[in-house]
Amino acid sequence: MESNMIRNGSWNEFIDWHDTNGDIINASDGGMIYVDGVYHWYGMALRPLPFNGKGKGGQTTTCGVVMYASKDLYQWEYEGVILPCSSDPKDPLYGPMRFERPKIIYNRQTKQYVLWCHYIKYPGDHGFTDGTAEAGAAVCDTVNGTYQWLGHTRPIDEKGYVRDCTLFQDRDGSAYFVYDRQTGDSWDGDDVDRCLHIVKLSEDYTEFTSEYYRIEEAYWREAAALVYHDGYYFMITSDLTSWDFNQAKYFRAQNLFGPWEDMGDPCVGDDDHLTFHSQGTYIFKVEGKEDQYIFMAERHNVENFLKCSYIWLPIEFGADHTLQLSYQKEWNLE
């Protein structure tokens, strides 16, 4: 990217974003955290291989979760691997595996940064056995240090398989794990149930409490991205179509534990209703600018996962407690 422009390209175009070394930014399905005047963008480092369904494709990582830093959201400096894979076959982090959709929040009481992700053990295939559908956690005393792996578990009960997930930190400091919870031991059987759930985390953010809520309105949805604005919680989601693009849908509520209201597609001018050929990953605030938030999305390139594109769009909030996304090939913060 040029120094004063965020470039998304055309709807069906894959645009390389580069760091200050000239290397392609490789931070899949991650998020953003702002610390002491610096934005830290993180995600799973994918491999430049086509998806082949056998856990050896580019959808897995042999590197881990990486991080980049910027003071202006335009120029990004590579900070390194913050949660590395292991080369030991006996290690739970042995790659190829997945730290899918990692998210980081800061706990003011413990003064630790806490990372949660959708953990999938070697060889990185989604499944129904232990280690293939989990929530994994790690902590660190610094935002860009090496995170200590705490292990993996399943919220609510062992019957609920973990799929896409995210974190949300409320204004009072409480934190929540939001995930696509699946029951039923197959992908398409009559007993399969998939619905977004919100689970409250413990005070130190490293464990799940017994407080949770099933968002009935968000049945068969995934890839949740949440934001609070003017008395309402908003959640942008995706349909379940694997790597194929689909129509986004957003929900709103005045309480995280519902009720939630289906608000329809937030994308304006999206003629083929495929979320501008992308899938959402996170929403973050632009510091120092009132009511300016950015919706982060990704355009997955299943022929070469290193060539995935990042799509950043400003969220437009309406006076009637609505939001919308309008596509822009390029734009700046001004």
Side-chain angles (χ1 to χ4, degrees), residues 223-234:
L226 287 85
V227 63
Y228 178 85
H229 180 264
D230 195 23
Y232 282 82
Y233 299 93
F234 296 91

Side-chain angles (χ1 to χ4, degrees), residues 114-141:
V114 183
L115 179 152
W116 281 92
C117 66
H118 174 199
Y119 166 78
I120 309 165
K121 69 180 181 180
Y122 173 90
D125 292 329
H126 291 291
F128 303 94
T129 59
D130 181 58
T132 64
E134 320 300 321
V139 296
C140 190
D141 292 336

Side-chain angles (χ1 to χ4, degrees), residues 201-319:
L201 293 174
S202 59
E203 289 189 2
D204 65 1
Y205 301 171
T206 65
E207 295 180 339
F208 297 109
T209 70
S210 60
E211 298 180 58
Y212 70 90
Y213 182 80
R214 175 186 168 103
I215 309 175
E216 294 287 354
E217 296 78 7
Y219 183 74
W220 216 254
R221 307 298 296 180
E222 66 176 2
L226 287 85
V227 63
Y228 178 85
H229 180 264
D230 195 23
Y232 282 82
Y233 299 93
F234 296 91
M235 179 174 60
I236 301 175
T237 69
S238 164
D239 199 356
L240 304 180
T241 55
S242 186
W243 299 111
D244 295 330
F245 303 122
N246 59 65
Q247 187 173 20
K249 181 183 286 188
Y250 83 102
F251 305 84
R252 73 178 184 186
Q254 292 183 287
N255 188 307
L256 276 174
F257 280 14
W260 288 82
E261 181 180 2
D262 185 342
M263 301 297 292
D265 189 347
C267 300
V268 177
D270 184 12
D271 295 335
D272 55 8
H273 307 295
L274 296 176
T275 318
F276 310 120
H277 292 228
S278 68
Q279 184 183 43
T281 65
Y282 199 63
I283 296 172
F284 71 93
K285 186 181 187 306
V286 178
E287 298 298 325
K289 293 184 178 292
E290 186 176 2
D291 293 338
Q292 188 167 21
Y293 293 82
I294 293 178
F295 173 69
M296 301 173 69
E298 191 162 325
R299 185 168 292 151
H300 300 294
N301 187 340
V302 296
E303 297 303 318
N304 184 344
F305 278 84
L306 189 59
K307 293 287 186 176
C308 293
S309 287
Y310 305 105
I311 311 301
W312 288 11
L313 296 173
I315 294 179
E316 305 163 40
F317 291 102

